[in-house]
Amino acid sequence: MNQAVIKYLSVIGTATWQTFVMVLFSTLFSVIIGFPLGVYLCTSDPANGLHPQKAVNQVLSIIINILRAIPFVILVILLFPFTRLVVRTAIGTKASIVPLTIAAAPFVARVIESSLKEVDPGVIQAARAMGSTNFQIIFKVLIPEAMPSIVNGITLTVINLIGYSAMAGTVGGGGLGDVAIRYGYQRYRVEYMLGSVAIILILVEIIQVLGTHISNKMQAKR
């Protein structure tokens, strides 16, 4: 195996690992932040929430909508000072996790809210009739019933984060996007561009198939 092939495999392998790390941790953190926000958005809905709170619900909805509306590349730049404060650097794989998390958390919140609102109101009413508290309804009725839909939503979030991680490469975030820009575009090395794109497509397909399989399994057990 010649040196060119070894270098190619090393660069692509390192970039793939960086992308995996960025997507894994940003998914984890965005779910930790977005899940309770989504639950709160659903339960505080002034129309049919378990505990309506119109003012707070509307303010939170506006904040989430604003964050979702900001293009990711612009968000990365806006968050440079905050990213430096959190991880002491604004570039690299570790730094990219911060804007990726902040970009994905509002999306996760909306996914969770939408999934919970899809639960049959009759199931909730039945739980109320049996004397269940709001806490019990949320954790024993709403979330279990909505879990297949939630899994599909999280799958979509992961796929979006893979795309975002590639964009993070344009501003020094590392990963496959960085390889595609630095080697594929700037140095006219088509093999690096094609390799990066191929791995991103494979990752997306694997995540989609896995997420759909898990969701279908949960749906079949209900």
Side-chain angles (χ1 to χ4, degrees), residues 133-162:
T133 63
N134 287 344
F135 184 86
Q136 291 171 327
I137 291 174
I138 291 169
F139 289 96
K140 294 185 178 181
V141 178
L142 283 176
I143 293 177
E145 287 291 321
M147 193 54 70
S149 179
I150 290 174
V151 170
N152 284 330
I154 299 301
T155 300
L156 184 59
T157 301
V158 176
I159 291 173
N160 284 339
L161 281 170
I162 292 174

Side-chain angles (χ1 to χ4, degrees), residues 129-213:
M130 291 187 290
S132 298
T133 63
N134 287 344
F135 184 86
Q136 291 171 327
I137 291 174
I138 291 169
F139 289 96
K140 294 185 178 181
V141 178
L142 283 176
I143 293 177
E145 287 291 321
M147 193 54 70
S149 179
I150 290 174
V151 170
N152 284 330
I154 299 301
T155 300
L156 184 59
T157 301
V158 176
I159 291 173
N160 284 339
L161 281 170
I162 292 174
Y164 286 163
S165 71
M167 284 189 281
T170 64
V171 287
L176 292 166
D178 181 49
V179 169
I181 293 294
R182 287 197 298 118
Y183 289 86
Y185 178 73
Q186 295 177 349
R187 302 183 189 181
Y188 305 102
R189 301 293 297 274
V190 178
E191 67 274 21
Y192 284 95
M193 179 74 76
L194 294 177
S196 298
V197 172
I199 293 174
I200 288 173
L201 292 175
I202 291 170
L203 289 174
V204 168
E205 186 63 24
I206 290 173
I207 295 300
Q208 184 63 68
V209 170
L210 183 61
T212 301
H213 175 73

Side-chain angles (χ1 to χ4, degrees), residues 20-139:
F20 175 79
V21 170
M22 283 190 285
V23 172
L24 175 64
F25 283 100
S26 57
T27 299
L28 177 62
F29 294 143
S30 63
V31 170
I32 290 174
I33 296 170
F35 202 104
L37 286 177
V39 172
Y40 183 79
L41 283 170
C42 176
T43 56
S44 65
D45 190 317
N48 50 18
L50 294 175
H51 185 59
Q53 291 181 310
K54 184 177 180 179
V56 180
N57 183 279
Q58 289 181 342
V59 170
L60 184 58
S61 291
I62 291 172
I63 294 172
I64 288 174
N65 291 338
I66 290 173
L67 289 174
R68 290 184 63 190
I70 301 174
F72 179 69
V73 173
I74 296 176
L75 182 64
V76 172
I77 297 171
L78 289 174
L79 288 173
F80 273 165
F82 179 71
T83 302
R84 287 194 188 97
L85 180 65
V86 174
V87 295
R88 298 184 179 181
T89 180
I91 60 173
T93 302
K94 183 169 64 173
S96 295
I97 294 173
V98 176
L100 284 170
T101 299
I102 294 176
F107 183 81
V108 172
R110 287 300 187 193
V111 164
I112 301 303
E113 178 193 15
S114 177
S115 297
L116 295 178
K117 286 184 176 180
E118 291 175 2
V119 176
D120 185 357
V123 178
I124 300 173
Q125 291 172 3
R128 278 195 182 281
M130 291 187 290
S132 298
T133 63
N134 287 344
F135 184 86
Q136 291 171 327
I137 291 174
I138 291 169
F139 289 96

